[in-house]
Amino acid sequence: MFTHVLHILESELVSGFMTEHAAVIFVFFFLAEYASIVLICILASILFLGGYLFDYLPLFSLIQYFDFDFYIENIYNNDSLLSDPLLEGLLYGLSLGVKACILIFVFIWARASFPRIRYDQLMSFCWTVLLPIVIAFVILVPCILYSFEIIPSNINLL
C-alpha cells in the first residue's frame, strides 16, 4: 500500500497531470503551437513584406558578371524571363517561402533568447510601462504633425 502511494506521489512530481497521456497530448499541443507560428509568419510576410512579390531585376543584374548576355538583354528589353507561368509561380512561391522562413527563424530565435515572464509580471509591465508610453505617443505624434504642418489630409483645420 505504501509503495503504491509513493509511486503515485513520484509520478505527480515527475510529470504532474500529464503522466498518463503525455505523448499524444504533448505532440498535438506542440504541433498546434508550431503550426500557429508558421501561419502567423506567413500572414506577416503577406501583409508586411510584400507576400509573393519579388524584385528580380537587381538579382539578375548580377548575371552580367557571369557573361550571360542573352538573359540580360531579355530582362532589360522588358521581355520577361519568367514568361513561363510554371517558373513564375515557382519564383513567387519561393519568395513567399523564404520570407516566411526568415520570420519563423526570427520568431523562434526571439522566443529562445528572452526569458519567459509570469502572467502577473507581464500585466504589471503592461500597465506600468507600456500603457504610459502609448498614451504619450497618442498625445505626442498629433502634436508633432500639427506643429510641423504635415497632417496627412486635404482638409484645412484652421
Side-chain angles (χ1 to χ4, degrees), residues 66-151:
F66 297 108
D67 199 26
F68 292 126
D69 293 329
F70 174 74
Y71 296 110
I72 297 297
E73 289 174 9
N74 284 340
I75 290 170
Y76 288 118
N77 290 335
N78 290 330
D79 294 335
S80 177
L81 182 67
L82 301 173
S83 60
D84 186 18
L86 186 63
L87 288 176
E88 188 176 12
L90 180 66
L91 181 67
Y92 289 156
L94 284 175
S95 173
L96 179 64
V98 166
K99 290 175 186 179
C101 285
I102 290 170
L103 284 178
I104 289 169
F105 174 76
V106 170
F107 194 100
I108 293 175
W109 186 20
R111 275 185 64 187
S113 298
F114 295 118
R116 308 276 192 295
I117 301 174
R118 288 191 332 250
Y119 185 73
D120 60 331
Q121 292 173 337
L122 180 66
M123 291 303 292
S124 174
F125 176 73
C126 288
W127 280 106
T128 59
V129 177
L130 294 180
L131 186 65
I133 290 174
V134 167
I135 291 172
F137 274 122
V138 165
I139 295 171
L140 183 68
V141 169
C143 291
I144 290 173
L145 291 176
Y146 182 75
S147 58
F148 289 113
E149 296 177 355
I150 51 176
I151 297 174

Side-chain angles (χ1 to χ4, degrees), residues 51-75:
Y52 66 88
L53 298 177
F54 179 67
D55 188 18
Y56 55 86
L57 289 179
L59 185 66
F60 284 130
S61 68
L62 294 174
I63 296 175
Q64 67 184 346
Y65 298 110
F66 297 108
D67 199 26
F68 292 126
D69 293 329
F70 174 74
Y71 296 110
I72 297 297
E73 289 174 9
N74 284 340
I75 290 170

